[in-house]
């Protein structure tokens, strides 16, 4: 055999191998590579969209947090106003009740003072009658001289 014929045979076999590979092996490999490239491109696009969505969600969360803080502050202010109103109302009611109790106490005190004066007047009148009895050495009828006793009581 000749080296040239061997080389020529090998060249023909290699050429047939290349044609076979180009026809049957290369297309599925290229298709797999293209699918992989497409998946990678889709993954990168999805990652970019996710990053944009994350930024948007963070901005929305920040806005919602600010709104929630504002609403909480407003609610606290309303609660403080309501507390102040309740305290003022309770103070007013307590003052009114205190004034009412003071007026009642003063009225009771005045009534008790008047009762004590009346009782004292009656006792003084009785003592005056007893003193007059002893002075006159005779008995004075209290029912008969009631108008005189009432007049003395009124003067005292």
């Amino acid at each position: 055999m000749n080296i040239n014929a061997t080389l020529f045979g090998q060249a023909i076999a290699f050429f047939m191998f290349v044609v076979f590979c180009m026809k049957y092996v290369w297309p599925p490999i290229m298709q797999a590579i293209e699918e992989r490239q497409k998946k990678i491109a889709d993954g990168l696009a999805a990652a970019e969209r996710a990053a944009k969505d994350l930024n948007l969600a963070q901005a929305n969360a920040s806005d919602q947090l600010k709104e929630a803080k504002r609403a909480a502050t407003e609610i606290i202010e309303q609660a403080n106003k309501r507390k102040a109103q309740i305290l003022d109302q309770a103070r007013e009611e307590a003052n009114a009740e205190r004034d009412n109790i003071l007026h009642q106490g003063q009225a009771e005190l005045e009534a008790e003072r008047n009762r004590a004066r009346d009782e004292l007047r009656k006792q003084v009148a009785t003592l005056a009658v007893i003193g007059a009895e002893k002075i006159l050495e005779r008995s004075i009828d209290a029912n008969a001289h009631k108008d005189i006793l009432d007049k003395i009581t009124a003067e005292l």
Side-chain angles (χ1 to χ4, degrees):
M1 264 219 198
N2 196 353
I3 290 185
N4 287 337
T6 304
L7 282 177
F8 182 68
Q10 284 181 354
I12 291 175
F14 183 72
F15 179 73
M16 286 177 30
F17 178 71
V18 168
V19 169
F20 175 78
C21 284
M22 287 180 70
K23 187 162 187 153
Y24 296 109
V25 177
W26 192 257
I29 291 175
M30 288 306 291
Q31 184 179 3
I33 290 173
E34 288 173 359
E35 286 177 7
R36 181 70 179 151
Q37 285 177 342
K38 185 179 180 212
K39 284 182 183 179
I40 290 172
D42 290 344
L44 290 174
E48 287 177 16
R49 282 193 309 272
K52 289 179 183 177
D53 290 345
L54 177 63
N55 289 336
L56 182 61
Q58 286 176 341
N60 287 341
S62 177
D63 291 343
Q64 288 178 351
L65 183 61
K66 288 178 184 176
E67 179 65 25
K69 285 181 181 179
R70 186 196 60 76
T73 303
E74 185 176 310
I75 289 170
I76 289 171
E77 287 175 6
Q78 288 176 353
N80 286 336
K81 287 179 184 177
R82 181 66 181 139
K83 177 185 78 168
Q85 288 175 347
I86 290 172
L87 287 175
D88 289 342
Q89 183 180 2
R91 253 188 229 113
E92 290 173 4
E93 288 175 1
N95 286 337
E97 185 67 23
R98 182 195 67 196
D99 291 342
N100 188 20
I101 290 171
L102 284 175
H103 290 301
Q104 286 177 354
Q106 289 173 350
E108 288 177 13
L109 183 64
E110 190 65 31
E112 189 64 32
R113 185 182 301 150
N114 289 337
R115 276 192 295 258
R117 280 184 189 161
D118 289 342
E119 184 65 32
L120 194 58
R121 284 180 187 157
K122 287 178 185 177
Q123 288 176 0
V124 168
T126 304
L127 285 175
V129 169
I130 291 173
E133 268 183 6
K134 285 185 180 181
I135 292 174
L136 297 176
E137 291 287 332
R138 65 184 179 117
S139 175
I140 298 177
D141 186 14
N143 291 330
H145 303 292
K146 185 168 178 65
D147 58 340
I148 296 171
L149 293 176
D150 287 340
K151 184 178 177 182
I152 292 172
T153 304
E155 288 178 8
L156 295 175

